[in-house]
Amino acid sequence: MKRRVALFVTCLADQLWPAVGHATVAVLERAGCTVEFDARQTCCAQPAFNAGYQAEARRVARHFVEVFEDCEAIVAPSGSCTAMVHRFAQLFRDEPAWCERAERVAARTHELASFLVRELGVRDLGARFPARLAWHDACHGLRELGLKSEPRALLAHVRELELCEFAAAESCCGFGGTFSVKFPELSTAMLDHKLASLAQAKVTHLSALDGSCLMQLAGRLARQGSPVKTVHLAEVLAGA
Amino acid sequence: MNPPGPETFAANARAALADQALRGALRRATDTFAERRAAAIGGVPDWEELREQARAIKAHTLARLDHYLQEFTRHAEAAGTRVHWARDAAEACRIVAGLAAQHGARRLVKSKSMATEEIHLNAALARDGAEPVETDLGEWIIQLAGETPSHIIVPAIHKTKESIGALFVAQLGIPPSSDPQVLAAHARARLRRHFAEAALGVSGVNFGVAETGTFLVLENEGNARMTTTLPRVHVALMGIEKLVPRFADLEVFLRLLPRSGTGQHLTSYQSLFTGPDGEREGPRELHVVLLDNGRSGLLADELTRQTLACIRCGACLNACPVYQQIGGHAYGSVYPGPIGAILTPQLSGLERAGTLPFASSLCGACKDVCPVKIDIPSVLLELRARAVEGTRTAPPRRGGWLERLTWRLWSLLSAGPRRFALAARLARLGERLPLVRRLAPPLAAWSSTRELPRLAPRSFRDGHRRKA
């Protein structure tokens, strides 16, 4: 029987990179899932939560819970947004009823690579993506969801793709939501540390499971006139 | 020298980023410590279990701190230690200064202690006409330079051997040198005289043991051993959170702390004190000053209480990508880095240090390396919320009302699909106006160093609806 999956496309992919959303659908369908998209969805509430505006974040988190609480599995092409949903308990720590509902939804919310490898046991999606590609271990995927081997296992099965590790793979890109605009110089210094290490790897592409990191990385690469292209994991896996 | 106020963090960070010598020294030092730590914990198969044990011991102790403080005091006093209670920095300084005066100790020696930095003990003693001398090499360098430490365990991490050489030439009149061996030999000769002359030694405390009234001091240079044995009187300043219940608990922390801090299996010296050693050699009097200074105020909230579990190893500083770029001084607080960003606002108040919890990308590297598993990102998020909550009642800072309005609007627009879609359409219109892209403050801050992404001509939801 086909696994039914609710796509949480994330607000950034929805508005900035719809191709990531379409690629996510294609990858999940290739993995044998039926993908549903509930257009009532908006955002995971992370921007306000990280900025300290918890009351504002709670309002959006409640909306997320209401939209997704009847779904068997919710999949998002983002480690950061998934980690936020897993953090709802902290947001609702004074509201036990909401906390319980939020934790039920959190238990069924998965990041894409994690869902494919851990839940479906899929590693080879028959993808082809000609590139020398470096992998950025996005912080929330790496440290909050423990995703290190999962994306690599998926990339290892992509035809014509050479995965090139670099020293600063696990270093933060410096995005951090409002951090990137509150302290732009500091954010950029962290970013440049990462990109200096990337330059050693001589790659054609840089990939990650989070669009927000890729936005930060791509923004600087473009400003520096670098030929390195950024691409979301979903787009690599959807490559044919 | 007084550290700059935390509100100037952004300006401090910019200044630090412009200092290439500082950034080079920081990168070398933090990389080295991170490598040594990784090598040291590589040989400990039960590292994760040790961390969990340490977390549990600290959580248990902090939940019953009143009980363990009384137990510690009872046993320490029974062993002949005199225990003093200091509510705040001023009271702690008064107690130490009073003991110095009582013993006619004008010159006193100090071993490294973050608690004494926290209460600005040296400045208080100097005001009373006393001459405190730091004897840890890094601390002594900082004292000679008239600076403050920029790292919890490596106070002079921001200095190069060249800058230390220049400092010694200027302050001590030595012949020019930047050879660490030569510089250390000069320091040793100077410090020996101070040890021999001082009537009172001040130390910190790494761990206090409730069941025996014992305390432990860890160090590598032997200076703390001399500070606590040569003078007639030894005064130890101990934060009230330093307690562990049982002597056997020390084993857990002795395996965790040196490996996390310097990457050593064990520090060169471990000194245990249970009462004075009056009959034989060593100080005739042993005093412990128990320092609250805001700590008891952290005990009520279970989430933020874990801040007090910190054993001051400095691993979170070395692992932090923000600290690696700007060092400790930019934080403008005695405790820098991730732990400083959660500890300082809770000890000194969010109205003074409210910027610090925001000085993080929330990458979580600090949480991963913390030997007592403090969930620093969660505490940062909680303190951010409190900082924002504070602005709802306090007089608003410049631009604060605009920020609040923006988030309220964001939350309204993101809590319903029609409103969200409408906002997205408006944003597409706004994006076409060059003024919006240039002038909206967050967009301008972004594009100062990075290209701004463009909204997709058609969103995923619009594309999906068309397909369906």
Side-chain angles (χ1 to χ4, degrees):
Chain A
M1 206 186 87
K2 281 197 165 188
R3 184 103 182 237
R4 280 173 51 163
V5 170
L7 171 69
F8 172 51
V9 72
T10 78
C11 63
L12 284 178
D14 180 23
Q15 297 300 324
L16 292 168
W17 320 289
V20 170
H22 296 300
T24 305
V25 173
V27 168
L28 286 168
E29 286 177 348
R30 213 184 283 174
C33 301
T34 307
V35 184
E36 286 159 5
F37 178 76
D38 188 330
R40 290 177 302 156
Q41 65 182 261
T42 57
C43 171
C44 69
Q46 181 168 209
F49 181 57
N50 284 6
Y53 288 80
Q54 289 202 2
E56 287 76 3
R58 257 191 299 278
R59 188 196 317 221
V60 177
R62 281 198 194 96
H63 179 70
F64 185 98
V65 171
E66 283 166 348
V67 169
F68 286 106
E69 67 187 334
D70 295 326
C71 301
E72 290 166 38
I74 303 125
V75 175
S78 162
S80 194
C81 305
T82 304
M84 177 65 216
V85 176
H86 291 193
R87 235 178 217 289
F88 278 176
Q90 184 179 351
L91 198 48
F92 292 117
R93 73 177 176 136
D94 296 327
E95 294 170 75
W98 271 103
C99 191
E100 203 179 304
R101 285 171 74 180
E103 289 204 306
R104 271 203 306 274
V105 173
R108 285 173 300 196
T109 304
H110 310 274
E111 181 282 328
L112 176 64
S114 153
F115 183 73
L116 291 171
V117 175
R118 292 181 189 168
E119 295 292 310
L120 302 182
V122 175
R123 281 168 186 77
D124 189 350
L125 288 143
R128 192 185 74 91
F129 196 91
R132 268 180 64 84
L133 181 140
W135 180 253
H136 161 65
D137 288 293
C139 294
H140 294 166
L142 176 69
R143 301 196 183 87
E144 292 196 40
L145 307 177
L147 298 173
K148 178 84 183 171
S149 65
E150 290 81 355
R152 285 174 176 76
L154 291 163
L155 291 171
H157 290 90
V158 177
R159 279 78 176 158
E160 293 172 50
L161 183 141
E162 186 189 350
L163 180 63
C164 307
E165 296 290 353
F166 67 116
E170 289 187 6
S171 299
C172 177
C173 69
F175 175 61
T178 51
F179 174 83
S180 65
V181 289
K182 258 189 194 287
F183 308 108
E185 300 88 355
L186 183 50
S187 167
T188 305
M190 291 156 69
L191 176 56
D192 283 349
H193 170 65
K194 174 131 214 159
L195 291 179
S197 168
L198 179 75
Q200 308 289 312
K202 309 247 182 301
V203 295
T204 57
H205 290 75
L206 174 63
S207 185
L209 47 74
D210 255 304
S212 48
C213 303
L214 291 174
M215 173 170 73
Q216 162 97 340
L217 292 158
R220 189 66 176 163
L221 286 167
R223 181 62 59 91
Q224 292 174 337
S226 164
V228 176
K229 294 187 203 50
T230 54
V231 58
H232 192 280
L233 174 69
E235 296 173 288
V236 176
L237 298 179
Chain B
M1 188 186 83
N2 276 326
E7 292 312 312
T8 54
F9 176 81
N12 292 350
R14 272 195 294 276
L17 289 173
D19 186 341
Q20 293 306 325
L22 169 72
R23 292 176 71 189
L26 282 168
R27 178 60 64 189
R28 280 190 298 278
T30 54
D31 279 355
T32 306
F33 278 110
E35 281 162 26
R36 284 189 198 158
R37 175 191 169 275
I41 70 170
V44 185
D46 56 343
W47 184 254
E48 288 307 316
E49 286 124 78
L50 275 177
R51 290 177 76 209
E52 180 50 34
Q53 276 180 42
R55 188 205 59 76
I57 293 168
K58 281 289 185 180
H60 167 89
T61 313
L62 290 170
R64 295 161 190 78
L65 194 57
D66 52 342
H67 164 78
Y68 285 118
L69 279 167
Q70 287 172 39
E71 193 184 342
F72 173 82
T73 305
R74 206 165 56 241
H75 290 122
E77 284 176 343
T81 304
R82 298 190 209 168
V83 179
H84 310 256
W85 297 73
R87 191 163 292 129
D88 55 23
E91 197 172 355
C93 289
R94 264 202 309 280
I95 292 167
V96 181
L99 288 167
Q102 187 191 322
H103 291 277
R106 221 177 74 80
R107 167 85 39 89
L108 30 91
V109 284
K110 274 194 69 229
S111 63
K112 191 173 155 22
S113 148
M114 287 308 292
T116 62
E117 295 288 343
E118 176 187 327
I119 64 171
H120 302 293
L121 179 64
N122 287 353
L125 289 169
R127 276 197 298 276
D128 278 9
E131 271 181 57
V133 178
E134 295 289 348
T135 64
D136 171 88
L137 181 54
E139 287 284 347
W140 191 57
I141 290 166
I142 294 305
Q143 191 180 30
L144 284 179
E147 295 178 10
T148 54
S150 66
H151 190 289
I152 289 173
I153 62 161
V154 202
I157 196 171
H158 59 288
K159 294 236 177 261
T160 59
K161 56 183 192 287
E162 290 77 19
S163 67
I164 294 165
L167 175 73
F168 279 22
V169 170
Q171 293 282 322
L172 312 174
I174 66 161
S177 171
S178 61
D179 179 350
Q181 302 276 356
V182 173
L183 298 175
H186 281 289
R188 189 175 289 121
R190 298 274 174 150
L191 290 171
R192 291 269 155 156
R193 282 212 300 276
H194 293 308
F195 285 125
E197 289 166 8
L200 187 141
V202 178
S203 79
V205 167
N206 289 101
F207 300 96
V209 180
E211 72 173 357
T212 56
T214 305
F215 64 90
L216 172 63
V217 176
L218 301 175
E219 50 134 355
N220 283 312
E221 297 171 13
N223 66 303
R225 181 69 59 82
M226 292 207 269
T227 298
T228 56
T229 50
L230 290 174
R232 292 193 308 277
V233 182
H234 171 196
V235 183
L237 183 67
M238 170 172 150
I240 55 171
E241 82 284 17
K242 292 281 175 186
L243 286 181
V244 294
R246 300 169 308 138
F247 196 84
D249 295 331
L250 290 178
E251 190 212 333
V252 175
F253 293 97
L254 274 171
R255 294 182 67 196
L256 287 166
L257 177 52
R259 286 181 169 87
S260 300
T262 50
Q264 292 170 288
H265 291 198
L266 199 55
T267 47
S268 307
Y269 295 85
Q270 306 85 36
S271 304
L272 287 159
F273 303 88
T274 314
D277 194 19
E279 296 303 311
R280 285 156 286 184
E281 294 184 331
R284 272 170 282 169
E285 282 184 26
L286 178 59
H287 298 262
V288 170
V289 181
L290 293 171
L291 176 70
D292 184 336
N293 204 28
R295 287 163 173 74
S296 52
L298 274 71
L299 290 169
D301 186 299
E302 215 177 318
L303 175 65
T304 47
R305 180 199 295 159
Q306 57 181 314
T307 311
L308 292 179
C310 173
I311 57 173
R312 309 282 188 266
C313 71
C316 63
L317 279 59
N318 301 330
C320 175
V322 172
Y323 182 91
Q324 287 169 1
Q325 292 293 341
I326 59 173
H329 287 152
Y331 291 81
S333 97
V334 170
Y335 301 103
I339 187 63
I342 61 171
L343 183 58
T344 302
Q346 296 187 79
L347 290 182
S348 335
L350 279 161
E351 55 292 339
R352 284 192 57 207
T355 302
L356 292 187
F358 293 91
S360 162
S361 65
L362 299 172
C363 81
C366 48
K367 177 184 172 182
D368 269 12
V369 297
C370 178
V372 293
K373 294 175 85 168
I374 301 173
D375 186 353
I376 294 178
S378 292
V379 180
L380 284 169
L381 285 162
E382 203 54 33
L383 295 177
R384 287 182 182 190
R386 282 189 208 163
V388 166
E389 204 49 48
T391 64
R392 289 185 214 262
T393 49
R397 66 200 153 78
R398 221 177 109 250
W401 64 272
L402 185 61
E403 185 181 295
R404 196 172 324 151
L405 184 71
T406 306
W407 284 116
R408 192 158 301 166
L409 197 62
W410 170 89
S411 119
L412 270 174
L413 294 173
S414 302
R418 286 219 192 90
R419 289 171 266 172
F420 184 81
L422 175 70
R425 272 194 283 282
L426 286 176
R428 276 179 180 69
L429 286 176
E431 194 190 40
R432 294 202 197 141
L433 307 171
L435 272 181
V436 171
R437 285 180 75 90
R438 267 219 323 271
L439 294 184
L443 300 185
W446 178 277
S447 27
S448 63
T449 56
R450 295 147 289 194
E451 295 301 319
L452 201 58
R454 292 218 160 241
L455 289 161
R458 186 187 295 156
S459 68
F460 178 85
R461 67 184 60 230
D462 286 345
H464 193 268
R465 202 180 43 229
R466 242 167 238 234
K467 249 191 349 198

